[in-house]
């Protein structure tokens, strides 16, 4: 994983969660690097520290809600879940069916992440 020690806006845990989410959206394969390898989570961190700082609270709330749902369902935060568990959590968020995910609107947060 690219270095996540020089974060500007996100916490360490938030950055791990974002990196795991983005890797599920854009995984690496034999011919292409994935989101982690190209530093998509670092790009988001920089954007949230600058031009998109007005979205930081939304990301904080959404990532916290996702990790809470993940912990309730699987006993661990999103980044520590197996790929199939991560996919199921993201699919449920996309359709608005994650329990105890109240703020932000989970479907809108999914679109923001994507």
């Amino acid at each position: 994983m690219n270095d996540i020690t020089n974060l500007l806006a996100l916490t360490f845990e938030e950055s791990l969660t974002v990196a795991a989410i983005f890797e599920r959206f854009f995984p690496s394969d034999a011919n292409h690097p994935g989101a982690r390898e190209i530093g998509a989570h670092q790009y988001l961190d920089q954007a949230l520290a600058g031009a998109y700082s007005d979205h930081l609270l939304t990301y904080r709330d959404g990532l916290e809600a996702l990790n809470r749902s993940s912990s309730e369902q699987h006993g661990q935060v999103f980044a520590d879940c197996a790929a199939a568990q991560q996919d199921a959590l993201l699919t449920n968020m996309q359709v608005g069916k994650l329990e105890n995910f109240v703020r932000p609107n989970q479907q809108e947060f999914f679109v923001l992440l994507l």
Side-chain angles (χ1 to χ4, degrees), residues 71-111:
S71 294
E72 289 170 359
Q73 290 182 37
H74 303 293
Q76 53 196 357
V77 295
F78 183 85
D80 294 336
C81 287
Q85 293 170 323
Q86 291 175 342
D87 289 345
L89 287 162
L90 290 172
T91 297
N92 284 331
M93 181 175 27
Q94 181 180 19
V95 297
K97 298 217 181 213
L98 277 181
E99 292 185 28
N100 299 321
F101 192 119
V102 179
R103 187 184 78 214
N105 176 287
Q106 55 189 291
Q107 291 171 293
E108 291 174 9
F109 185 59
F110 182 88
V111 171

Side-chain angles (χ1 to χ4, degrees), residues 3 6-10 15 39-53 56:
D3 183 34
N6 297 318
L7 299 169
L8 302 173
L10 298 171
S15 184
H41 59 286
Q42 291 171 314
Y43 175 82
L44 176 65
D45 179 61
Q46 291 174 0
L48 292 173
Y52 294 96
S53 62
L56 181 58

